[in-house]
Amino acid sequence: MRIVLVEDNTVTRETLNLLLSGETTIDSVTTFGSGEELLAHIEYTAFDVLLVDLDLPGMHGSELIQKVKQMRPQVEIMVYTIFEDRENVFSAIKSGASGYILKGSSPRDLIESLQSLHQGGAPMSPKIARKVILEFQKVPDGDDNPLTSRESCIVRSIEQGLTYKEIAERFNISPHTVHTHIKNIYEKLQAHGRQDALKRARRIGII
């Protein structure tokens, strides 16, 4: 199995490169920091599996997935990201991803998921698999997520008990921007405070 990894975070990219390169079932790992960089070298790069983040500089991961599928339809594609909101999940799947694993999964889970993908499977983190199932079941309470990807991530950070300052540091934005996002979140969810927002977010599957 020959893997191309597209991940903009240098530490994450190098860590994954070391992890994947140490597996006997993986023949080669080629890494890129952006979708544009991969596309510039794709003509000279042989690979069977694309492991890609979604939050990339420049071209979004879903757009890259679509372009790679058009150029290399035989390549299997797995998303590896923090995003678990409906918008990103279904955008990636519709673009051509057959796997969707959340960052935070164990190294063994990631390796086994890549092997499953290469063998024709469609591995997904449990949270993602549930979202896909609920979409097809059309659960009455499962209204579409009105939040943006960033707003959804901020809601999950609030649930984890992070302060405005900690959220700002996590996403490299100002506390004022965090406050604006939270105000928008309350308005979109029609919530009357933190607990109400979390309750409504759980009901529609954001958290």
Side-chain angles (χ1 to χ4, degrees):
M1 174 169 45
R2 298 163 298 178
I3 295 178
V4 158
L5 166 65
V6 181
E7 165 64 58
D8 64 307
N9 183 282
T10 304
V11 174
T12 302
R13 187 170 64 248
E14 292 177 353
T15 300
L16 287 173
N17 189 14
L18 285 173
L19 171 68
L20 299 174
S21 297
E23 284 294 314
T24 56
T25 57
I26 296 175
D27 301 312
S28 66
V29 181
T30 306
T31 66
F32 298 100
S34 69
E36 289 84 352
E37 188 180 354
L38 166 58
L39 294 178
H41 295 84
I42 195 168
E43 184 179 351
Y44 315 102
T45 306
F47 60 107
D48 310 298
V49 174
L50 169 63
L51 181 62
V52 58
D53 192 6
L54 293 181
D55 189 21
L56 298 171
M59 182 185 301
H60 187 269
S62 289
E63 184 181 353
L64 174 62
I65 290 170
Q66 187 175 39
K67 289 181 180 296
V68 170
K69 266 299 180 182
Q70 290 171 348
M71 301 170 74
R72 301 278 185 92
Q74 76 280 8
V75 166
E76 296 289 352
I77 301 177
M78 177 182 289
V79 171
Y80 186 60
T81 185
I82 63 170
F83 294 131
E84 53 188 89
D85 59 284
R86 181 186 183 280
E87 179 185 350
N88 273 298
V89 171
F90 288 98
S91 175
I93 292 173
K94 288 176 182 177
S95 294
S98 296
Y100 201 111
I101 302 298
L102 295 174
K103 290 183 177 179
S105 301
S106 71
R108 181 44 49 190
D109 282 344
L110 176 59
I111 295 296
E112 290 178 353
S113 295
L114 285 167
Q115 292 170 342
S116 173
L117 182 74
H118 187 51
Q119 293 165 6
M124 297 182 186
S125 294
K127 280 187 177 182
I128 303 305
R130 184 169 180 82
K131 285 182 184 295
V132 173
I133 290 172
L134 291 177
E135 181 74 10
F136 281 98
Q137 290 178 341
K138 298 188 181 299
V139 177
D141 286 336
D143 297 329
D144 289 348
N145 179 5
L147 306 184
T148 65
S149 299
R150 175 55 58 83
E151 288 167 350
S152 295
C153 288
I154 288 176
V155 169
R156 287 189 283 273
S157 298
I158 292 173
E159 185 196 30
Q160 293 166 9
L162 271 64
T163 64
Y164 281 19
K165 182 179 179 182
E166 290 169 334
I167 294 173
E169 291 174 351
R170 170 177 285 190
F171 297 105
N172 194 28
I173 56 180
S174 70
H176 175 73
T177 301
V178 173
H179 184 273
T180 300
H181 279 308
I182 291 176
K183 180 182 177 182
N184 292 335
I185 289 167
Y186 286 178
E187 289 179 356
K188 290 181 180 181
L189 295 180
Q190 298 181 351
H192 303 291
R194 181 177 180 275
Q195 291 305 320
D196 189 29
L198 292 176
K199 179 181 178 181
R200 291 171 184 265
R202 291 188 187 97
R203 189 164 65 237
I204 62 177
I206 298 173
I207 56 178

